[in-house]
């Protein structure tokens, strides 16, 4: 065993520790050397890590203090401003019909008869609330779909999630369909998590960035319609990615002649594992944004929580009670009823999602 214990100011002042350990002599070490190498942290190296974290905190503080929303300058060019016309002082109604007796006057003015349409007011009930929710969901999903980053992130996520099954041999687990579906489902996990966290923050704080939040909150619409529309918009975007990856995985299986195609295997993995995970991620991200009330604070909390959980999972602490996404503890054989913890975990995950949505509705700042 080889141990590296090189003290000195070099370790303290090297921000990336490139001059410590096996990288001191370059990166041309053999695999046998790296397999037997033991990396020991000295006091200077630990102080180096603390110093780097402190410098990063200072940089973020400076960015936060200096970041401001500037108003439009007074010397804005004329061609860059909107020249909207002033509304005419009159109301025009298309169904205006002259009176039957044109000679009838009232204080010197001709009487006209207006055809008033028959309307009903329906603001309560399941149907009215569902119609409002669908309308708001349509607006939120169109705005989310028009994000410029979607054009880059979605194809990139599809490419990386299907890269392994496209260019490498897929082992049957126990069938080829289960192998293709399981491989793409595991590759999708990080992209689903990133989409849920990032785009939930976008839809939650877009209204505030556009300065229309007071107008939206004054509209006669319930809190759960506003929250559920944002939650469902993010969930639909995530499920769209899942559907694209599933279709491409099936096409790749056909092209590589790794048949037969078993749709039941795809359905089990994507409906039992992937879809509940997507629901939980979107609901948890929504609650985190409502509690934090700041987009970047929510991002930081999400990254910290996920990093801590993934570290615990890598150390073997992956019980399903604190591993709601079943990272590294599920396989296709367990989905056929061989493991009861899969069923209990899925019920547990959906219950956590419902609690997250309930607490988000309770703690929403809008009264």
């Amino acid at each position: 065993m080889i141990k590296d214990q090189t003290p000195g100011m070099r370790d303290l002042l090297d921000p990336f520790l490139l001059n410590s350990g096996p990288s001191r002599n370059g990166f041309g070490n053999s695999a046998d050397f790296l397999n037997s190498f033991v990396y020991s942290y000295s006091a200077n190296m630990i102080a180096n890590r603390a110093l780097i974290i402190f410098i990063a905190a200072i940089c973020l503080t400076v960015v936060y203090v200096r970041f401001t929303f500037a108003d439009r300058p007074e010397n804005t060019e004329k061609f860059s401003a909107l020249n909207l016309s002033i509304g005419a002082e009159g109301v025009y109604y298309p169904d205006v019909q002259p009176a039957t007796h044109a000679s009838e006057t009232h204080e010197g003015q001709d009487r006209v008869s207006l055809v008033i349409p028959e309307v009903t007011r329906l603001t309560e009930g399941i149907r009215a609330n569902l119609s409002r929710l669908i309308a708001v969901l349509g607006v939120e999903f169109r705005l989310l779909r028009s994000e410029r980053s979607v054009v880059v992130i979605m194809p990139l996520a599809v490419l990386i999630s299907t890269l392994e099954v496209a260019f490498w041999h897929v082992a049957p687990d126990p069938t080829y369909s289960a192998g293709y579906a399981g491989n793409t489902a595991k590759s999708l996990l990080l992209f689903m998590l990133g989409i849920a966290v990032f785009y939930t923050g976008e839809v939650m704080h877009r209204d505030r960035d556009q300065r229309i939040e007071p107008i939206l909150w004054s509209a006669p619409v319930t809190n759960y319609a506003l929250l559920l529309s944002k939650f469902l918009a993010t969930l639909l975007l995530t499920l769209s990615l899942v559907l694209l990856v599933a279709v491409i995985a099936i096409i790749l299986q056909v092209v590589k002649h790794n048949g037969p195609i078993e749709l039941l295997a795809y359905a089990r993995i994507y409906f039992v594992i992937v879809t509940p995970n997507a629901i939980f991620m979107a609901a948890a991200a929504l609650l985190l944004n409502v509690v934090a009330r700041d987009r970047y604070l929510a991002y930081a909390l999400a990254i910290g929580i996920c990093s801590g959980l993934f570290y615990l999972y890598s150390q073997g602490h992956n019980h399903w009670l604190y591993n709601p996404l079943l990272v590294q503890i599920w396989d296709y054989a367990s989905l056929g009823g061989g493991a009861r913890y899969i069923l209990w975990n899925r019920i547990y995950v959906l219950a956590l999602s419902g609690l997250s949505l309930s607490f988000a509705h309770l703690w929403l700042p809008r009264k």
Side-chain angles (χ1 to χ4, degrees):
M1 306 295 285
I2 303 175
K3 294 187 178 181
D4 184 49
Q5 298 178 352
T6 306
M9 295 298 295
R10 179 179 57 188
D11 293 338
L12 181 61
L13 300 178
D14 185 6
F16 299 103
L17 295 179
L18 294 178
N19 294 319
S20 302
S23 60
R24 185 187 309 115
N25 299 322
F27 295 94
N29 298 298
S30 63
D32 295 335
F33 173 81
L34 294 176
N35 289 335
S36 60
F37 181 79
V38 177
Y39 203 103
S40 299
Y41 278 88
S42 62
N44 288 331
M45 295 170 70
I46 296 175
N48 172 277
R49 300 295 87 188
L51 178 63
I52 293 301
I53 294 175
F54 179 72
I55 294 175
I58 293 177
C59 294
L60 292 176
T61 304
V62 172
V63 172
Y64 179 80
V65 172
R66 298 292 300 173
F67 189 82
T68 57
F69 289 97
D71 294 329
R72 189 178 66 180
E74 296 294 333
N75 56 352
T76 305
E77 298 85 350
K78 294 182 178 180
F79 61 83
S80 64
L82 295 177
N83 186 15
L84 301 179
S85 61
I86 302 175
E89 296 181 357
V91 178
Y92 299 94
Y93 194 83
D95 295 328
V96 177
Q97 299 177 356
T100 305
H101 302 285
S103 60
E104 296 180 0
T105 59
H106 178 69
E107 295 181 358
Q109 296 181 356
D110 294 339
R111 290 184 178 182
V112 295
S113 61
L114 300 179
V115 180
I116 305 298
E118 296 183 0
V119 296
T120 57
R121 297 181 60 185
L122 182 60
T123 59
E124 301 296 336
I126 298 177
R127 184 176 180 180
N129 293 329
L130 184 60
S131 299
R132 281 196 291 264
L133 177 60
I134 293 175
V136 180
L137 174 60
V139 174
E140 290 289 348
F141 187 71
R142 286 195 297 270
L143 291 174
L144 189 58
R145 190 183 56 188
S146 63
E147 290 280 348
R148 296 180 180 179
S149 58
V150 174
V151 182
V152 178
I153 292 178
M154 293 292 282
L156 182 63
V158 172
L159 175 64
I160 296 179
S161 299
T162 58
L163 189 64
E164 185 174 352
V165 298
F167 296 100
W168 283 273
H169 176 71
V170 178
D173 185 29
T175 62
Y176 279 109
S177 294
Y180 276 83
N183 190 295
T184 52
K186 293 175 182 178
S187 301
L188 268 173
L189 181 62
L190 288 179
F191 287 104
M192 291 169 55
L193 185 60
I195 287 175
V197 173
F198 177 74
Y199 286 110
T200 300
E202 290 297 313
V203 299
M204 287 296 295
H205 299 280
R206 181 196 301 116
D207 302 330
R208 186 179 305 170
D209 295 341
Q210 299 297 327
R211 301 184 180 182
I212 62 172
E213 189 176 58
I215 300 176
L216 182 64
W217 283 12
S218 63
V221 62
T222 56
N223 287 346
Y224 68 82
L226 296 176
L227 283 176
L228 284 181
S229 62
K230 300 177 185 300
F231 162 73
L232 292 176
T234 308
L235 181 61
L236 285 178
L237 183 65
T238 307
L239 294 181
S240 301
L241 172 64
V242 173
L243 181 60
L244 285 175
V245 171
V247 171
I248 293 177
I250 294 174
I251 294 174
L252 289 173
Q253 185 181 352
V254 174
V255 172
K256 296 176 69 174
H257 303 287
N258 292 332
I261 304 297
E262 298 179 7
L263 296 180
L264 181 60
Y266 283 93
R268 282 181 176 177
I269 292 177
Y270 282 102
F271 283 106
V272 177
I273 299 296
V274 179
T275 302
N277 287 351
I279 295 174
F280 173 73
M281 292 177 193
L286 183 73
L287 175 61
L288 195 60
N289 279 274
V290 170
V291 173
R293 298 186 182 182
D294 183 83
R295 176 189 305 170
Y296 303 105
L297 178 59
Y299 291 162
L301 290 176
I303 293 173
I305 293 172
C306 293
S307 300
L309 289 177
F310 278 109
Y311 175 76
L312 291 177
Y313 303 155
S314 65
Q315 299 299 314
H317 306 286
N318 53 5
H319 193 272
W320 62 269
L321 283 177
Y322 49 86
N323 187 2
L325 304 181
L326 293 177
V327 179
Q328 299 178 353
I329 61 173
W330 72 271
D331 53 16
Y332 183 74
S334 61
L335 300 181
R340 297 289 298 275
Y341 71 89
I342 296 288
L343 175 61
W344 289 112
N345 175 270
R346 300 295 87 182
I347 297 175
Y348 172 64
V349 163
L350 294 178
L352 285 180
S353 303
L355 286 176
S356 299
L357 294 176
S358 300
F359 283 119
H361 179 268
L362 179 64
W363 293 334
L364 185 69
R366 181 192 184 220
K367 303 300 180 182

